[in-house]
mmCIF file of all heavy atoms in Angstrom:
data_model
loop_
_atom_site.group_PDB
_atom_site.id
_atom_site.type_symbol
_atom_site.label_atom_id
_atom_site.label_comp_id
_atom_site.label_asym_id
_atom_site.label_seq_id
_atom_site.Cartn_x
_atom_site.Cartn_y
_atom_site.Cartn_z
ATOM 1 N N ARG E 29 4.081 -2.192 -25.386
ATOM 2 C CA ARG E 29 3.439 -2.680 -26.518
ATOM 3 C C ARG E 29 1.961 -2.472 -26.371
ATOM 4 O O ARG E 29 1.289 -1.888 -27.308
ATOM 5 C CB ARG E 29 3.634 -4.221 -26.677
ATOM 6 C CG ARG E 29 2.796 -4.813 -27.888
ATOM 7 C CD ARG E 29 3.107 -6.197 -28.034
ATOM 8 N NE ARG E 29 2.474 -7.117 -26.951
ATOM 9 C CZ ARG E 29 1.146 -7.459 -26.939
ATOM 10 N NH1 ARG E 29 0.440 -7.056 -27.792
ATOM 11 N NH2 ARG E 29 0.704 -8.115 -25.904
ATOM 12 N N VAL E 30 1.230 -2.819 -25.307
ATOM 13 C CA VAL E 30 -0.223 -2.633 -25.077
ATOM 14 C C VAL E 30 -0.589 -1.280 -24.878
ATOM 15 O O VAL E 30 -1.491 -0.884 -25.526
ATOM 16 C CB VAL E 30 -0.571 -3.637 -23.992
ATOM 17 C CG1 VAL E 30 -2.155 -3.480 -23.750
ATOM 18 C CG2 VAL E 30 -0.214 -5.168 -24.243
ATOM 19 N N PHE E 31 0.076 -0.576 -23.988
ATOM 20 C CA PHE E 31 -0.299 0.818 -23.686
ATOM 21 C C PHE E 31 -0.092 1.771 -24.938
ATOM 22 O O PHE E 31 -0.602 2.806 -24.964
ATOM 23 C CB PHE E 31 0.381 1.361 -22.468
ATOM 24 C CG PHE E 31 -0.058 0.492 -21.100
ATOM 25 C CD1 PHE E 31 0.754 0.542 -20.130
ATOM 26 C CD2 PHE E 31 -1.266 -0.120 -21.205
ATOM 27 C CE1 PHE E 31 0.388 -0.202 -18.882
ATOM 28 C CE2 PHE E 31 -1.558 -0.877 -20.054
ATOM 29 C CZ PHE E 31 -0.694 -0.885 -18.905
ATOM 30 N N SER E 32 0.829 1.441 -25.805
ATOM 31 C CA SER E 32 0.936 2.290 -27.015
ATOM 32 C C SER E 32 -0.201 2.089 -27.895
ATOM 33 O O SER E 32 -0.344 2.824 -28.954
ATOM 34 C CB SER E 32 2.261 1.726 -27.825
ATOM 35 O OG SER E 32 3.382 2.147 -26.966
ATOM 36 N N MET E 33 -1.194 1.121 -27.652
ATOM 37 C CA MET E 33 -2.453 1.089 -28.420
ATOM 38 C C MET E 33 -3.409 2.126 -27.981
ATOM 39 O O MET E 33 -4.414 2.272 -28.666
ATOM 40 C CB MET E 33 -2.963 -0.265 -28.163
ATOM 41 C CG MET E 33 -2.158 -1.441 -28.759
ATOM 42 S SD MET E 33 -2.912 -3.050 -28.435
ATOM 43 C CE MET E 33 -4.534 -2.879 -29.439
ATOM 44 N N ILE E 34 -3.178 2.706 -26.840
ATOM 45 C CA ILE E 34 -4.053 3.883 -26.389
ATOM 46 C C ILE E 34 -3.992 4.982 -27.420
ATOM 47 O O ILE E 34 -2.855 5.495 -27.696
ATOM 48 C CB ILE E 34 -3.664 4.323 -25.045
ATOM 49 C CG1 ILE E 34 -3.756 3.117 -23.995
ATOM 50 C CG2 ILE E 34 -4.618 5.490 -24.691
ATOM 51 C CD1 ILE E 34 -3.268 3.402 -22.591
ATOM 52 N N PRO E 35 -5.094 5.539 -27.871
ATOM 53 C CA PRO E 35 -5.103 6.546 -28.898
ATOM 54 C C PRO E 35 -4.414 7.826 -28.241
ATOM 55 O O PRO E 35 -4.724 8.291 -27.207
ATOM 56 C CB PRO E 35 -6.555 6.911 -29.211
ATOM 57 C CG PRO E 35 -7.261 5.538 -28.869
ATOM 58 C CD PRO E 35 -6.368 4.908 -27.707
ATOM 59 N N GLY E 36 -3.339 8.316 -29.009
ATOM 60 C CA GLY E 36 -2.520 9.320 -28.568
ATOM 61 C C GLY E 36 -1.243 8.963 -27.870
ATOM 62 O O GLY E 36 -0.304 9.777 -27.773
ATOM 63 N N LEU E 37 -1.172 7.704 -27.557
ATOM 64 C CA LEU E 37 0.113 7.189 -26.876
ATOM 65 C C LEU E 37 0.862 6.223 -27.886
ATOM 66 O O LEU E 37 1.788 5.519 -27.179
ATOM 67 C CB LEU E 37 -0.273 6.467 -25.547
ATOM 68 C CG LEU E 37 -0.873 7.340 -24.463
ATOM 69 C CD1 LEU E 37 -1.106 6.513 -23.070
ATOM 70 C CD2 LEU E 37 -0.364 8.686 -24.324
ATOM 71 N N GLU E 38 0.647 6.281 -29.044
ATOM 72 C CA GLU E 38 1.232 5.410 -30.007
ATOM 73 C C GLU E 38 2.754 5.599 -30.002
ATOM 74 O O GLU E 38 3.695 4.615 -30.048
ATOM 75 C CB GLU E 38 0.807 5.581 -31.452
ATOM 76 C CG GLU E 38 -0.640 5.205 -31.718
ATOM 77 C CD GLU E 38 -1.649 6.309 -31.410
ATOM 78 O OE1 GLU E 38 -1.204 7.304 -30.632
ATOM 79 O OE2 GLU E 38 -2.822 6.143 -31.670
ATOM 80 N N ASN E 39 3.264 6.775 -29.696
ATOM 81 C CA ASN E 39 4.712 7.082 -29.672
ATOM 82 C C ASN E 39 5.122 7.687 -28.436
ATOM 83 O O ASN E 39 6.159 8.439 -28.291
ATOM 84 C CB ASN E 39 5.124 7.932 -30.751
ATOM 85 C CG ASN E 39 4.881 7.519 -32.205
ATOM 86 O OD1 ASN E 39 5.366 6.398 -32.491
ATOM 87 N ND2 ASN E 39 4.044 8.167 -32.833
ATOM 88 N N ALA E 40 4.324 7.209 -27.259
ATOM 89 C CA ALA E 40 4.646 7.835 -25.966
ATOM 90 C C ALA E 40 5.892 7.407 -25.376
ATOM 91 O O ALA E 40 6.429 6.155 -25.545
ATOM 92 C CB ALA E 40 3.592 7.345 -25.020
ATOM 93 N N GLU E 41 6.641 8.315 -24.682
ATOM 94 C CA GLU E 41 7.802 7.913 -24.026
ATOM 95 C C GLU E 41 7.512 7.653 -22.573
ATOM 96 O O GLU E 41 7.109 8.449 -21.861
ATOM 97 C CB GLU E 41 8.778 9.136 -24.070
ATOM 98 C CG GLU E 41 10.118 8.924 -23.249
ATOM 99 C CD GLU E 41 11.044 10.079 -23.238
ATOM 100 O OE1 GLU E 41 10.576 11.211 -23.796
ATOM 101 O OE2 GLU E 41 12.070 10.192 -22.603
ATOM 102 N N PHE E 42 7.727 6.385 -22.115
ATOM 103 C CA PHE E 42 7.455 5.991 -20.717
ATOM 104 C C PHE E 42 8.794 6.238 -19.918
ATOM 105 O O PHE E 42 9.835 5.702 -20.169
ATOM 106 C CB PHE E 42 7.185 4.403 -20.765
ATOM 107 C CG PHE E 42 5.812 4.061 -21.313
ATOM 108 C CD1 PHE E 42 5.666 4.053 -22.801
ATOM 109 C CD2 PHE E 42 4.738 4.024 -20.509
ATOM 110 C CE1 PHE E 42 4.405 3.768 -23.272
ATOM 111 C CE2 PHE E 42 3.467 3.735 -21.111
ATOM 112 C CZ PHE E 42 3.307 3.623 -22.453
ATOM 113 N N VAL E 43 8.659 7.202 -18.925
ATOM 114 C CA VAL E 43 9.743 7.437 -18.018
ATOM 115 C C VAL E 43 9.696 6.606 -16.803
ATOM 116 O O VAL E 43 10.748 6.486 -16.129
ATOM 117 C CB VAL E 43 9.728 8.943 -17.539
ATOM 118 C CG1 VAL E 43 9.815 9.798 -18.811
ATOM 119 C CG2 VAL E 43 8.369 9.409 -16.821
ATOM 120 N N ARG E 44 8.597 5.935 -16.492
ATOM 121 C CA ARG E 44 8.465 4.821 -15.598
ATOM 122 C C ARG E 44 7.332 3.896 -15.878
ATOM 123 O O ARG E 44 6.277 4.431 -16.335
ATOM 124 C CB ARG E 44 8.174 5.522 -14.053
ATOM 125 C CG ARG E 44 8.191 4.466 -13.036
ATOM 126 C CD ARG E 44 7.664 5.012 -11.681
ATOM 127 N NE ARG E 44 6.119 5.063 -11.772
ATOM 128 C CZ ARG E 44 5.404 5.476 -10.778
ATOM 129 N NH1 ARG E 44 6.001 6.135 -9.778
ATOM 130 N NH2 ARG E 44 4.187 5.562 -10.946
ATOM 131 N N TYR E 45 7.785 2.700 -15.876
ATOM 132 C CA TYR E 45 6.657 1.612 -16.167
ATOM 133 C C TYR E 45 6.110 1.312 -14.787
ATOM 134 O O TYR E 45 6.538 1.545 -13.674
ATOM 135 C CB TYR E 45 7.291 0.372 -16.619
ATOM 136 C CG TYR E 45 7.766 0.521 -18.104
ATOM 137 C CD1 TYR E 45 9.026 0.627 -18.442
ATOM 138 C CD2 TYR E 45 6.760 0.714 -19.092
ATOM 139 C CE1 TYR E 45 9.482 0.804 -19.847
ATOM 140 C CE2 TYR E 45 7.112 0.856 -20.420
ATOM 141 C CZ TYR E 45 8.479 0.819 -20.691
ATOM 142 O OH TYR E 45 8.885 1.139 -22.143
ATOM 143 N N GLY E 46 4.853 0.736 -14.926
ATOM 144 C CA GLY E 46 4.215 0.369 -13.687
ATOM 145 C C GLY E 46 4.892 -0.896 -12.956
ATOM 146 O O GLY E 46 5.430 -1.752 -13.479
ATOM 147 N N VAL E 47 4.723 -0.803 -11.636
ATOM 148 C CA VAL E 47 5.385 -1.766 -10.891
ATOM 149 C C VAL E 47 4.455 -2.358 -9.893
ATOM 150 O O VAL E 47 3.538 -1.794 -9.459
ATOM 151 C CB VAL E 47 6.678 -1.362 -10.157
ATOM 152 C CG1 VAL E 47 7.783 -0.947 -11.050
ATOM 153 C CG2 VAL E 47 6.483 -0.125 -9.252
ATOM 154 N N MET E 48 4.816 -3.567 -9.365
ATOM 155 C CA MET E 48 3.985 -4.150 -8.242
ATOM 156 C C MET E 48 4.838 -4.536 -7.164
ATOM 157 O O MET E 48 6.065 -4.999 -7.267
ATOM 158 C CB MET E 48 3.324 -5.469 -8.815
ATOM 159 C CG MET E 48 2.675 -6.312 -7.762
ATOM 160 S SD MET E 48 1.172 -7.188 -8.444
ATOM 161 C CE MET E 48 -0.002 -5.938 -8.456
ATOM 162 N N HIS E 49 4.390 -4.288 -5.888
ATOM 163 C CA HIS E 49 5.221 -4.592 -4.705
ATOM 164 C C HIS E 49 4.211 -5.198 -3.666
ATOM 165 O O HIS E 49 2.887 -4.983 -3.617
ATOM 166 C CB HIS E 49 5.914 -3.459 -4.143
ATOM 167 C CG HIS E 49 5.126 -2.368 -4.131
ATOM 168 N ND1 HIS E 49 5.034 -1.374 -5.181
ATOM 169 C CD2 HIS E 49 4.340 -1.671 -3.208
ATOM 170 C CE1 HIS E 49 4.291 -0.293 -4.747
ATOM 171 N NE2 HIS E 49 3.919 -0.474 -3.610
ATOM 172 N N ARG E 50 4.706 -5.919 -2.715
ATOM 173 C CA ARG E 50 4.002 -6.557 -1.594
ATOM 174 C C ARG E 50 3.669 -5.424 -0.450
ATOM 175 O O ARG E 50 4.435 -4.721 -0.026
ATOM 176 C CB ARG E 50 4.706 -7.700 -0.911
ATOM 177 C CG ARG E 50 4.008 -8.224 0.168
ATOM 178 C CD ARG E 50 4.995 -9.273 0.932
ATOM 179 N NE ARG E 50 6.222 -8.665 1.417
ATOM 180 C CZ ARG E 50 6.251 -7.932 2.538
ATOM 181 N NH1 ARG E 50 5.211 -7.826 3.315
ATOM 182 N NH2 ARG E 50 7.405 -7.444 2.917
ATOM 183 N N ASN E 51 2.473 -5.432 -0.105
ATOM 184 C CA ASN E 51 1.966 -4.589 1.020
ATOM 185 C C ASN E 51 1.608 -5.510 2.180
ATOM 186 O O ASN E 51 1.000 -6.550 1.912
ATOM 187 C CB ASN E 51 0.858 -3.759 0.604
ATOM 188 C CG ASN E 51 1.248 -2.487 -0.086
ATOM 189 O OD1 ASN E 51 2.364 -2.188 -0.331
ATOM 190 N ND2 ASN E 51 0.324 -1.494 -0.479
ATOM 191 N N SER E 52 1.920 -5.057 3.337
ATOM 192 C CA SER E 52 1.573 -5.753 4.594
ATOM 193 C C SER E 52 0.815 -4.942 5.532
ATOM 194 O O SER E 52 0.992 -3.796 5.535
ATOM 195 C CB SER E 52 2.812 -6.396 5.328
ATOM 196 O OG SER E 52 3.574 -7.226 4.368
ATOM 197 N N PHE E 53 0.063 -5.650 6.261
ATOM 198 C CA PHE E 53 -0.868 -4.838 7.268
ATOM 199 C C PHE E 53 -1.285 -5.898 8.488
ATOM 200 O O PHE E 53 -1.291 -7.131 8.265
ATOM 201 C CB PHE E 53 -2.050 -4.215 6.632
ATOM 202 C CG PHE E 53 -2.984 -5.139 5.919
ATOM 203 C CD1 PHE E 53 -4.168 -5.581 6.709
ATOM 204 C CD2 PHE E 53 -2.879 -5.626 4.780
ATOM 205 C CE1 PHE E 53 -5.131 -6.468 6.073
ATOM 206 C CE2 PHE E 53 -3.770 -6.461 4.064
ATOM 207 C CZ PHE E 53 -4.894 -6.953 4.873
ATOM 208 N N LEU E 54 -1.530 -5.395 9.538
ATOM 209 C CA LEU E 54 -1.988 -6.019 10.746
ATOM 210 C C LEU E 54 -3.390 -6.439 10.655
ATOM 211 O O LEU E 54 -4.246 -5.826 9.973
ATOM 212 C CB LEU E 54 -1.696 -5.251 11.900
ATOM 213 C CG LEU E 54 -0.337 -4.556 12.337
ATOM 214 C CD1 LEU E 54 -0.385 -3.713 13.589
ATOM 215 C CD2 LEU E 54 0.624 -5.906 12.567
ATOM 216 N N ASN E 55 -3.725 -7.435 11.435
ATOM 217 C CA ASN E 55 -5.172 -7.825 11.621
ATOM 218 C C ASN E 55 -5.590 -6.794 12.768
ATOM 219 O O ASN E 55 -5.945 -7.372 13.806
ATOM 220 C CB ASN E 55 -5.368 -9.244 11.951
ATOM 221 C CG ASN E 55 -6.777 -9.681 11.899
ATOM 222 O OD1 ASN E 55 -7.688 -8.851 11.677
ATOM 223 N ND2 ASN E 55 -6.980 -10.868 12.214
ATOM 224 N N SER E 56 -5.792 -5.581 12.390
ATOM 225 C CA SER E 56 -5.861 -4.453 13.407
ATOM 226 C C SER E 56 -7.095 -4.685 14.354
ATOM 227 O O SER E 56 -7.025 -4.251 15.517
ATOM 228 C CB SER E 56 -5.855 -3.137 12.836
ATOM 229 O OG SER E 56 -4.617 -2.796 12.194
ATOM 230 N N PRO E 57 -8.223 -5.061 13.841
ATOM 231 C CA PRO E 57 -9.394 -5.250 14.653
ATOM 232 C C PRO E 57 -9.207 -6.077 16.062
ATOM 233 O O PRO E 57 -9.795 -6.038 16.991
ATOM 234 C CB PRO E 57 -10.472 -5.680 13.759
ATOM 235 C CG PRO E 57 -10.226 -5.233 12.468
ATOM 236 C CD PRO E 57 -8.706 -5.313 12.448
ATOM 237 N N LYS E 58 -8.225 -7.083 15.756
ATOM 238 C CA LYS E 58 -7.934 -7.922 16.873
ATOM 239 C C LYS E 58 -6.808 -7.304 17.724
ATOM 240 O O LYS E 58 -6.477 -7.926 18.946
ATOM 241 C CB LYS E 58 -7.638 -9.320 16.445
ATOM 242 C CG LYS E 58 -8.733 -10.122 15.853
ATOM 243 C CD LYS E 58 -8.233 -11.525 15.523
ATOM 244 C CE LYS E 58 -9.478 -12.477 15.059
ATOM 245 N NZ LYS E 58 -9.055 -13.767 14.729
ATOM 246 N N LEU E 59 -6.067 -6.478 17.209
ATOM 247 C CA LEU E 59 -4.751 -6.009 17.824
ATOM 248 C C LEU E 59 -4.766 -4.597 18.414
ATOM 249 O O LEU E 59 -4.112 -4.266 19.332
ATOM 250 C CB LEU E 59 -3.677 -6.200 16.862
ATOM 251 C CG LEU E 59 -3.473 -7.637 16.296
ATOM 252 C CD1 LEU E 59 -2.476 -7.630 15.235
ATOM 253 C CD2 LEU E 59 -3.010 -8.629 17.467
ATOM 254 N N LEU E 60 -5.528 -3.662 17.767
ATOM 255 C CA LEU E 60 -5.280 -2.325 18.018
ATOM 256 C C LEU E 60 -6.529 -1.513 18.709
ATOM 257 O O LEU E 60 -7.655 -2.020 18.519
ATOM 258 C CB LEU E 60 -5.030 -1.534 16.835
ATOM 259 C CG LEU E 60 -3.751 -1.794 16.037
ATOM 260 C CD1 LEU E 60 -3.528 -0.870 14.838
ATOM 261 C CD2 LEU E 60 -2.412 -1.867 16.907
ATOM 262 N N ASN E 61 -6.206 -0.643 19.749
ATOM 263 C CA ASN E 61 -7.190 0.165 20.213
ATOM 264 C C ASN E 61 -7.506 1.224 19.250
ATOM 265 O O ASN E 61 -6.979 1.454 18.205
ATOM 266 C CB ASN E 61 -6.735 0.740 21.494
ATOM 267 C CG ASN E 61 -6.456 -0.208 22.546
ATOM 268 O OD1 ASN E 61 -7.410 -1.087 22.879
ATOM 269 N ND2 ASN E 61 -5.332 -0.225 23.172
ATOM 270 N N ARG E 62 -8.764 2.067 19.441
ATOM 271 C CA ARG E 62 -9.034 3.170 18.607
ATOM 272 C C ARG E 62 -8.032 4.185 18.444
ATOM 273 O O ARG E 62 -8.082 4.997 17.460
ATOM 274 C CB ARG E 62 -10.422 3.713 19.175
ATOM 275 C CG ARG E 62 -11.535 2.800 18.929
ATOM 276 C CD ARG E 62 -12.919 3.558 19.400
ATOM 277 N NE ARG E 62 -13.294 4.485 18.553
ATOM 278 C CZ ARG E 62 -13.721 5.632 18.650
ATOM 279 N NH1 ARG E 62 -13.598 6.025 20.012
ATOM 280 N NH2 ARG E 62 -14.147 6.632 17.763
ATOM 281 N N ASP E 63 -7.146 4.383 19.550
ATOM 282 C CA ASP E 63 -6.079 5.267 19.403
ATOM 283 C C ASP E 63 -4.794 4.767 18.680
ATOM 284 O O ASP E 63 -3.752 5.478 18.657
ATOM 285 C CB ASP E 63 -5.688 5.844 20.736
ATOM 286 C CG ASP E 63 -5.159 4.896 21.669
ATOM 287 O OD1 ASP E 63 -5.036 3.684 21.336
ATOM 288 O OD2 ASP E 63 -4.891 5.146 22.875
ATOM 289 N N PHE E 64 -4.926 3.709 18.096
ATOM 290 C CA PHE E 64 -3.872 3.126 17.329
ATOM 291 C C PHE E 64 -2.793 2.371 18.341
ATOM 292 O O PHE E 64 -1.734 2.002 17.816
ATOM 293 C CB PHE E 64 -3.231 4.020 16.298
ATOM 294 C CG PHE E 64 -4.143 4.349 15.267
ATOM 295 C CD1 PHE E 64 -5.071 5.352 15.203
ATOM 296 C CD2 PHE E 64 -4.006 3.418 14.065
ATOM 297 C CE1 PHE E 64 -5.751 5.707 14.068
ATOM 298 C CE2 PHE E 64 -5.014 3.758 12.897
ATOM 299 C CZ PHE E 64 -5.755 4.765 13.032
ATOM 300 N N SER E 65 -2.971 2.385 19.568
ATOM 301 C CA SER E 65 -2.148 1.659 20.409
ATOM 302 C C SER E 65 -2.424 0.171 20.470
ATOM 303 O O SER E 65 -3.561 -0.238 20.162
ATOM 304 C CB SER E 65 -2.182 2.234 21.928
ATOM 305 O OG SER E 65 -3.503 1.983 22.376
ATOM 306 N N LEU E 66 -1.352 -0.652 20.845
ATOM 307 C CA LEU E 66 -1.446 -2.081 20.850
ATOM 308 C C LEU E 66 -2.183 -2.403 22.035
ATOM 309 O O LEU E 66 -1.994 -1.906 23.200
ATOM 310 C CB LEU E 66 -0.122 -2.666 20.775
ATOM 311 C CG LEU E 66 -0.008 -4.184 20.403
ATOM 312 C CD1 LEU E 66 -0.491 -4.486 19.116
ATOM 313 C CD2 LEU E 66 1.500 -4.459 20.618
ATOM 314 N N ARG E 67 -3.227 -3.276 21.977
ATOM 315 C CA ARG E 67 -4.012 -3.716 23.142
ATOM 316 C C ARG E 67 -3.190 -4.341 24.324
ATOM 317 O O ARG E 67 -3.424 -4.258 25.503
ATOM 318 C CB ARG E 67 -5.180 -4.572 22.732
ATOM 319 C CG ARG E 67 -6.312 -3.778 22.066
ATOM 320 C CD ARG E 67 -7.361 -4.881 21.572
ATOM 321 N NE ARG E 67 -8.343 -4.027 20.828
ATOM 322 C CZ ARG E 67 -9.161 -4.549 19.863
ATOM 323 N NH1 ARG E 67 -9.155 -5.782 19.755
ATOM 324 N NH2 ARG E 67 -10.111 -3.755 19.329
ATOM 325 N N THR E 68 -2.247 -5.172 23.877
ATOM 326 C CA THR E 68 -1.335 -5.787 24.687
ATOM 327 C C THR E 68 -0.155 -4.981 25.288
ATOM 328 O O THR E 68 0.394 -5.444 26.192
ATOM 329 C CB THR E 68 -0.719 -7.147 24.200
ATOM 330 O OG1 THR E 68 -0.143 -6.776 22.978
ATOM 331 C CG2 THR E 68 -1.937 -8.074 23.777
ATOM 332 N N ASN E 69 0.004 -3.930 24.737
ATOM 333 C CA ASN E 69 1.172 -2.988 25.206
ATOM 334 C C ASN E 69 0.874 -1.492 24.931
ATOM 335 O O ASN E 69 1.103 -1.124 23.740
ATOM 336 C CB ASN E 69 2.481 -3.386 24.639
ATOM 337 C CG ASN E 69 3.663 -2.625 25.291
ATOM 338 O OD1 ASN E 69 3.514 -1.494 25.614
ATOM 339 N ND2 ASN E 69 4.787 -3.423 25.386
ATOM 340 N N LYS E 70 0.261 -0.786 25.740
ATOM 341 C CA LYS E 70 -0.037 0.629 25.489
ATOM 342 C C LYS E 70 1.002 1.565 25.141
ATOM 343 O O LYS E 70 0.781 2.625 24.663
ATOM 344 C CB LYS E 70 -0.794 1.211 26.694
ATOM 345 C CG LYS E 70 -0.063 1.321 27.883
ATOM 346 C CD LYS E 70 -0.921 1.838 29.047
ATOM 347 C CE LYS E 70 -0.047 2.229 30.441
ATOM 348 N NZ LYS E 70 -0.847 2.725 31.466
ATOM 349 N N HIS E 71 2.233 1.132 25.342
ATOM 350 C CA HIS E 71 3.456 1.866 24.927
ATOM 351 C C HIS E 71 3.862 1.822 23.433
ATOM 352 O O HIS E 71 4.690 2.523 23.016
ATOM 353 C CB HIS E 71 4.606 1.659 25.881
ATOM 354 C CG HIS E 71 4.415 2.241 27.187
ATOM 355 N ND1 HIS E 71 3.772 1.530 28.105
ATOM 356 C CD2 HIS E 71 4.796 3.278 27.824
ATOM 357 C CE1 HIS E 71 3.810 2.124 29.363
ATOM 358 N NE2 HIS E 71 4.377 3.385 29.062
ATOM 359 N N ILE E 72 3.194 0.879 22.765
ATOM 360 C CA ILE E 72 3.395 0.608 21.376
ATOM 361 C C ILE E 72 2.206 1.062 20.579
ATOM 362 O O ILE E 72 1.154 0.543 20.733
ATOM 363 C CB ILE E 72 3.840 -0.829 21.011
ATOM 364 C CG1 ILE E 72 5.202 -1.052 21.883
ATOM 365 C CG2 ILE E 72 4.043 -0.971 19.591
ATOM 366 C CD1 ILE E 72 5.516 -2.537 21.683
ATOM 367 N N PHE E 73 2.395 1.981 19.520
ATOM 368 C CA PHE E 73 1.467 2.357 18.625
ATOM 369 C C PHE E 73 1.814 1.921 17.324
ATOM 370 O O PHE E 73 3.032 1.890 17.004
ATOM 371 C CB PHE E 73 1.262 4.011 18.613
ATOM 372 C CG PHE E 73 0.696 4.499 19.837
ATOM 373 C CD1 PHE E 73 1.471 4.668 21.065
ATOM 374 C CD2 PHE E 73 -0.701 4.942 20.024
ATOM 375 C CE1 PHE E 73 0.965 5.237 22.194
ATOM 376 C CE2 PHE E 73 -1.229 5.457 21.151
ATOM 377 C CZ PHE E 73 -0.322 5.672 22.298
ATOM 378 N N PHE E 74 0.886 1.747 16.464
ATOM 379 C CA PHE E 74 1.175 1.648 14.957
ATOM 380 C C PHE E 74 0.394 2.720 14.227
ATOM 381 O O PHE E 74 -0.634 3.277 14.661
ATOM 382 C CB PHE E 74 0.587 0.212 14.559
ATOM 383 C CG PHE E 74 1.435 -0.909 14.858
ATOM 384 C CD1 PHE E 74 1.342 -1.480 16.229
ATOM 385 C CD2 PHE E 74 2.423 -1.384 14.189
ATOM 386 C CE1 PHE E 74 2.070 -2.521 16.637
ATOM 387 C CE2 PHE E 74 3.238 -2.545 14.438
ATOM 388 C CZ PHE E 74 3.010 -3.089 15.668
ATOM 389 N N ALA E 75 0.856 3.059 13.048
ATOM 390 C CA ALA E 75 0.257 4.117 12.303
ATOM 391 C C ALA E 75 0.611 3.839 10.793
ATOM 392 O O ALA E 75 1.749 3.310 10.479
ATOM 393 C CB ALA E 75 0.876 5.494 12.661
#
């Protein structure tokens, strides 16, 4: 309804609508070294 108000999109065919999803991340400054290895276990890296 709303995006069809955009000039030129009055009759637009939407093949995918916008979606929202949860993203997660580490508190890396407390946990990771500059090489992306875990400070408490050098055999585990995150990327």
Side-chain angles (χ1 to χ4, degrees):
R29 179 181 69 83
V30 177
F31 296 157
S32 293
M33 294 177 65
I34 297 172
L37 299 190
E38 291 87 352
N39 298 303
E41 177 188 359
F42 289 82
V43 296
R44 187 192 75 186
Y45 287 108
V47 294
M48 171 151 278
H49 47 267
R50 178 187 58 81
N51 278 357
S52 300
F53 59 99
L54 301 172
N55 191 1
S56 295
K58 291 186 177 181
L59 302 171
L60 300 183
N61 295 308
R62 293 182 72 228
D63 63 359
F64 288 89
S65 65
L66 197 60
R67 286 180 182 153
T68 56
N69 189 324
K70 64 181 182 180
H71 287 84
I72 297 177
F73 291 78
F74 285 84

